[in-house]
Amino acid sequence: MKTYLVTGGAGFIGSNYIHYMFRKYGGDIRILNVDKLTYAGNLENLADIENRENYRFYRADICDADAMRAIFAENDIDRVVHFAAESHVDRSILDPGVFVKTNVLGTLNVLNAARGAWEGADGSYPDGKKFLHVSTDEVYGSLEKEGEYFYETTPYDPHSPYSASKASSDFLVKSYMDTYHFPANITNCSNNYGPYQFPEKLIPLMINNALQGKKLPVYGDGKNVRDWLYVEDHCKGIDLVQEKGRLFETYNIGGHNEKQNIEIVKIIIRTLREMLPEGDPRKDHLTEDLITYVTDRKGHDRRYAIAPDKISAEVGWYPETCFEEGIRKTIAWYFANPEWMARVTSGAYQKYYEEMYSGR
Ligand code: NAD
Ligand code: DAU
């Protein structure tokens, strides 16, 4: 039975990944989830699996080298899937320091703990030990011309403190592969959406605001383009890369689903109206009049678009959920989980929202 160490498993993609893996492998794998539980980590996301015998949660900071070493000493870990990070670009503009600490130094600690546990005296690694570093397409910078895509060979050109910290962490992983022959892969994925996404990100923020009749704050001219992927398709890609990908390789993950932000906001309004039951009073205010153009994000990248040719050709990955279906599944999940949204938007979120959006 393989043992997986998942970092950041209480966050959006990490919790979806843990659900995906238990759905796929059931009792044939063991998952250890290491998470500090920052504002973005929420054990409620994993409530339905927390009592499984083949699951264990460790509350720990990846920046704590002793804690990371202890987890490796206690367990014979086969696979690491490293999600833990500060993930929100706007927060990185307000406070870059914690992004460098968690995303760069934290990644270094996880690498060191894995290398310390796995590397033999002769510098070799036992078969089957694999580390997958979950990264982002934002490391490639911004595409300005129609028809251009991010390939694995595209030079890194990060612009935000978030993407600079992720680029640094990617380079650390690359350096471990090149220097120590450390058995790893890097995946660079486009924008995810789906259940359990914290409402600081575009799609859940717009769903939550629209349902409350609040303004929908669109940055700049609303024409920035992101390449949206349903989160389960990302999870499937991570698993396929770890199972079938060539070690030491990078794989881009994205499903050719480019949309301008304003299109996304209008689709959300339209889909919410379609999905709310007849007579629901929230329908009355749910119109495009809620859209409010606000001051642009500093250094706002214009367009991201992934070329998934390599992952398709080498491991047979393809996205299964089209945007129309994915957005309906996502909205249905938020409809079914109003208490989740109420809890995550109480307290500190209000302060964040005020700081980020008032006077914008
Ligand atoms: P998230 O913010 O929802 O979750 C991050 C998780 O990491 C949280 O559970 C948080 O508690 C945990 N964490 C943060 N700092 C930690 C620390 N010091 N020690 C231990 N745990 C810590 O993020 P997400 O959107 O799920 O993203 C997960 C990963 O995927 C990140 O590495 C991100 O860069 C990458 N990624 C995200 C997207 C996207 O669209 N969201 C796309 C591509 C890549
Ligand atoms: O591309 C992958 C990246 O996608 C991940 O690496 C990041 O972790 C993830 O947060 C995401 O980054 P973005 O900055 O693209 O996502 P966000 O949801 O913050 O914003 C999406 C677009 O919507 C972006 O162009 C900014 C815009 N936006 C966002 C918010 C929160 C708005 O117009 N209004 C908003 O209120």
Side-chain angles (χ1 to χ4, degrees):
M1 182 189 280
K2 282 188 208 106
T3 297
Y4 285 74
L5 178 73
V6 174
T7 70
F12 162 50
I13 308 176
S15 59
N16 276 285
Y17 172 79
I18 292 175
H19 283 118
Y20 174 83
M21 293 297 278
F22 280 139
R23 274 199 304 277
K24 180 163 179 192
Y25 297 103
D28 295 342
I29 57 168
R30 207 169 139 238
I31 296 184
L32 314 173
N33 173 15
V34 177
D35 200 299
K36 181 182 176 182
L37 300 182
T38 66
Y39 77 92
N42 185 352
L43 288 181
E44 222 182 316
N45 301 356
L46 297 161
D48 54 335
I49 56 104
E50 68 184 359
N51 294 322
R52 289 185 74 109
E53 278 183 5
N54 55 345
Y55 170 77
R56 176 155 178 202
F57 175 66
Y58 288 88
R59 184 167 190 176
D61 187 337
I62 57 165
C63 299
D64 180 343
D66 290 341
M68 294 310 298
R69 265 195 301 269
I71 293 167
F72 274 88
E74 227 179 84
N75 300 282
D76 183 12
I77 293 166
D78 302 295
R79 302 286 160 92
V80 176
V81 182
H82 177 41
F83 293 98
E86 288 293 334
S87 69
H88 192 41
V89 173
D90 290 327
R91 288 186 194 255
S92 82
I93 295 166
L94 285 180
D95 180 14
V98 67
F99 283 72
V100 174
K101 195 164 174 245
T102 293
N103 300 0
V104 185
L105 299 177
T107 297
L108 182 68
N109 269 335
V110 185
L111 286 167
N112 283 338
R115 182 177 163 231
W118 291 348
E119 194 185 60
D122 62 354
S124 71
Y125 291 81
D127 276 350
K129 302 291 186 196
K130 293 183 184 181
F131 186 107
L132 190 141
H133 177 59
V134 180
S135 192
T136 169
D137 59 0
E138 298 203 13
V139 297
Y140 298 122
S142 184
L143 295 165
E144 302 301 328
K145 290 194 208 115
E146 274 294 305
E148 280 185 333
Y149 294 95
F150 294 138
Y151 288 89
E152 288 78 0
T153 49
T154 303
Y156 275 29
D157 184 21
H159 297 133
S160 71
Y162 163 71
S163 53
S165 69
K166 291 297 290 187
S168 309
S169 66
D170 291 11
F171 282 133
L172 276 173
V173 177
K174 279 178 195 289
S175 77
Y176 272 53
M177 296 194 275
D178 295 347
T179 309
Y180 309 114
H181 216 57
F182 183 76
N185 287 105
I186 299 172
T187 53
N188 294 90
C189 189
S190 63
N191 285 63
N192 286 214
Y193 68 101
Y196 307 110
Q197 189 168 29
F198 192 79
E200 64 191 353
K201 307 281 165 49
L202 180 75
I203 288 182
L205 185 143
M206 294 298 165
I207 294 172
N208 185 43
N209 280 18
L211 286 173
Q212 294 183 45
K214 282 195 190 159
K215 287 180 177 169
L216 306 179
V218 174
Y219 298 167
D221 64 3
K223 292 186 178 159
N224 297 65
V225 171
R226 296 293 181 266
D227 185 358
W228 295 95
L229 184 70
Y230 192 62
V231 62
E232 199 176 311
D233 281 322
H234 184 189
C235 298
K236 181 179 83 168
I238 289 169
D239 183 42
L240 280 173
V241 166
Q242 215 168 36
E243 290 313 306
K244 296 187 175 172
R246 286 180 294 140
L247 267 179
F248 315 114
E249 292 290 319
T250 288
Y251 293 88
N252 284 353
I253 312 183
H256 279 307
N257 181 49
E258 290 174 55
K259 293 210 183 314
Q260 291 185 345
N261 295 333
I262 189 66
E263 283 181 75
I264 295 284
V265 175
K266 288 182 179 174
I267 291 171
I268 290 173
I269 295 170
R270 197 171 62 238
T271 314
L272 283 170
R273 287 189 63 83
E274 282 165 18
M275 289 178 67
L276 280 171
E278 255 341 290
D280 190 306
R282 288 174 295 182
K283 267 189 162 166
D284 301 341
H285 57 243
L286 242 169
T287 69
E288 290 185 9
D289 291 346
L290 291 178
I291 294 173
T292 312
Y293 290 93
V294 301
T295 310
D296 209 352
R297 175 184 276 175
K298 290 189 172 81
H300 198 174
D301 287 337
R302 192 62 172 170
R303 173 173 163 253
Y304 302 146
I306 284 274
D309 307 24
K310 181 173 173 183
I311 190 172
S312 304
E314 292 195 11
V315 308
W317 178 87
Y318 59 91
E320 285 175 37
T321 306
C322 69
F323 191 72
E324 204 175 300
E325 182 193 350
I327 198 71
R328 291 184 85 86
K329 280 163 86 166
T330 303
I331 289 174
W333 186 87
Y334 284 102
F335 277 175
N337 293 279
E339 316 80 22
W340 184 96
M341 185 60 95
R343 276 193 283 276
V344 304
T345 52
S346 66
Y349 180 83
Q350 298 300 330
K351 189 166 170 281
Y352 164 80
Y353 198 91
E354 180 64 23
E355 189 176 358
M356 188 62 69
Y357 292 94
S358 68
R360 206 169 176 148

